[in-house]
Amino acid sequence: MSTESLQHITVLLDEAVAALVQNPDGFYVDGTFGRGGHSALVLNQLSPTGRLMAIDKDLEAIACAHTRFADDARFDIAHGSFSRLQEFVTDRDMFGQVDGVLLDLGVSSPQLDDPMRGFSFQHDGPLDMRMDTTSGESVAQWIMRASQDEIADVIYTYGEDRHGRRMAKAVVEARAIAPIETTAQLAKIISDANPSWEKGKHPATRAFQAFRIHINRELEDLEKCLDQSLDSLKVGGRLVIISFHSLEDRIVKRFIRKHVKGDDHLPMSIPVTSDMLKQRLKAVGKMVKASATEVDENPRSRSAVMRIATKIA
């Protein structure tokens, strides 16, 4: 299936770019290029001297970037995880000088809809789920070697599914008979082991989310990226993050709250000035969700939550 045939609708496009770009001459980072929806609008807002660096794990996204923005000297892209943000920014002599970092944490539609990527139970395909197919192990490889307890913990922790132990037991029993190599195989095993199907939701939804998050180290990478973003931004720089499930949003919300509040370990018996608190961020507005119109046009935007913060020190 060609990349061109798989369409991706960028979520909260106008809202995210409006929040991000405060200086048309600045240097910006799109940490999750995808198919370039946010990057295209950022470039449209930049002056001839502005610059945009994008990052993506997916080689198909890298190829899309080279084709789509080949003639724009203001743009370049790095292949890898956004957990290497500081490295990529430093390579461009912009550490501490970044005007804005944008992270769209959703899986792109081409990844979800291409059966060969193995992200979805809606289409049968190889059980892979790696965003970067050049490194690491696939879900099929992991599921054949992981212990029953590890599989159960992943489903419970990253899928928030209380039936993780039953599902893990079913997986271990099934793999003893034959290797689990396709999404259809795994989806049936998980579904049959799930005693409480939710209306309107495939019974393997939470488990598939859990396996994807685990195999791509999504939450660990997010925590690393947030810390590096704060140090990479200049004072006045913006951090704009779009999350799609509660695990991601919880990490983002706590990170922003921590650096808005500052040092809360100071003794209560002494007067505290703002400089003593070492506050580094200021939250910008409340969380933003997709409008009803956007949700109607793109149902995948329903769960999106955007949070914005400015670096103040």
Side-chain angles (χ1 to χ4, degrees):
M1 190 175 294
S2 69
T3 300
E4 290 76 9
S5 67
L6 299 167
Q7 299 299 314
H8 177 71
I9 303 174
T10 305
V11 174
L12 291 168
L13 174 60
D14 294 332
E15 296 89 339
V17 175
L20 180 75
V21 180
Q22 304 298 302
N23 171 21
D25 302 323
F27 179 91
Y28 293 89
V29 176
D30 180 351
T32 47
F33 178 81
R35 290 303 179 267
H38 285 118
S39 284
L41 189 54
V42 169
L43 288 167
N44 188 55
Q45 303 300 312
L46 296 185
S47 73
T49 58
R51 292 170 60 197
L52 173 65
M53 178 190 77
I55 304 170
D56 209 288
K57 292 181 177 181
D58 191 335
L59 283 178
E60 291 183 6
I62 300 296
C64 173
H66 287 317
T67 299
R68 187 169 185 180
F69 301 117
D71 298 327
D72 197 328
R74 300 172 301 167
F75 175 85
D76 76 309
I77 188 164
H79 177 228
S81 169
F82 55 42
S83 65
R84 297 168 60 194
L85 174 70
Q86 183 172 323
E87 172 193 338
F88 295 141
V89 169
T90 301
D91 286 346
R92 290 155 180 80
D93 296 322
M94 294 302 294
F95 182 66
Q97 298 300 315
V98 177
D99 289 83
V101 174
L102 170 65
L103 303 177
D104 176 348
L105 303 176
V107 181
S108 70
S109 295
Q111 290 172 327
L112 287 172
D113 296 338
D114 184 352
M116 298 308 294
R117 300 302 299 272
F119 282 98
S120 176
F121 42 75
Q122 304 290 357
H123 314 282
D124 192 20
L127 187 58
D128 195 318
M129 294 198 206
R130 288 174 298 164
M131 293 180 180
D132 183 353
T133 54
T134 68
S135 65
E137 62 182 348
S138 66
V139 169
Q141 292 169 323
W142 172 74
I143 228 156
M144 290 304 292
R145 69 160 183 81
S147 69
Q148 182 172 317
D149 284 345
E150 184 181 358
I151 295 170
D153 288 345
V154 165
I155 295 172
Y156 179 77
T157 302
Y158 298 140
E160 299 181 297
D161 196 314
R162 67 184 186 277
H163 303 301
R165 304 227 167 272
R166 293 177 61 129
M167 294 172 179
K169 183 173 183 290
V171 167
V172 169
E173 290 173 350
R175 79 184 184 191
I177 300 171
I180 303 169
E181 297 177 334
T182 71
T183 54
Q185 281 179 282
L186 182 60
K188 185 176 190 312
I189 293 164
I190 294 294
S191 299
D192 289 348
N194 188 341
S196 56
W197 292 26
E198 299 175 59
K199 185 177 180 181
K201 180 178 285 189
H202 192 287
T205 298
R206 294 179 183 274
F208 266 61
Q209 171 185 293
F211 297 145
R212 190 203 78 224
I213 290 172
H214 173 72
I215 215 70
N216 291 292
R217 299 179 57 84
E218 291 178 30
L219 301 187
E220 296 96 327
D221 281 3
L222 174 58
E223 290 176 336
K224 290 178 182 177
C225 183
L226 289 172
D227 286 333
Q228 294 175 29
S229 295
L230 187 53
D231 291 332
S232 297
L233 287 167
K234 63 166 57 172
V235 172
R238 282 280 174 93
L239 184 59
V240 179
I241 306 168
I242 303 170
S243 305
F244 286 82
H245 58 73
S246 60
L247 297 173
E248 295 169 338
D249 186 52
R250 196 174 302 140
I251 291 171
V252 174
K253 181 168 61 175
R254 286 175 178 171
F255 176 83
I256 293 175
R257 181 188 297 155
K258 171 186 173 183
H259 291 288
V260 166
K261 189 174 182 180
D263 190 350
D264 57 359
H265 296 97
L266 295 172
M268 296 184 65
S269 58
I270 63 170
V272 177
T273 59
S274 59
D275 61 313
M276 293 170 64
L277 289 174
K278 298 180 181 177
Q279 296 163 306
R280 301 193 68 192
L281 286 176
K282 177 182 178 182
V284 178
K286 297 181 179 179
M287 70 176 186
V288 179
K289 302 202 74 175
S291 67
T293 300
E294 181 170 2
V295 172
D296 287 342
E297 294 174 351
N298 180 17
R300 285 177 178 169
S301 69
R302 181 178 293 108
S303 59
V305 173
M306 182 171 72
R307 297 186 187 273
I308 308 160
T310 299
K311 180 175 177 178
I312 59 174

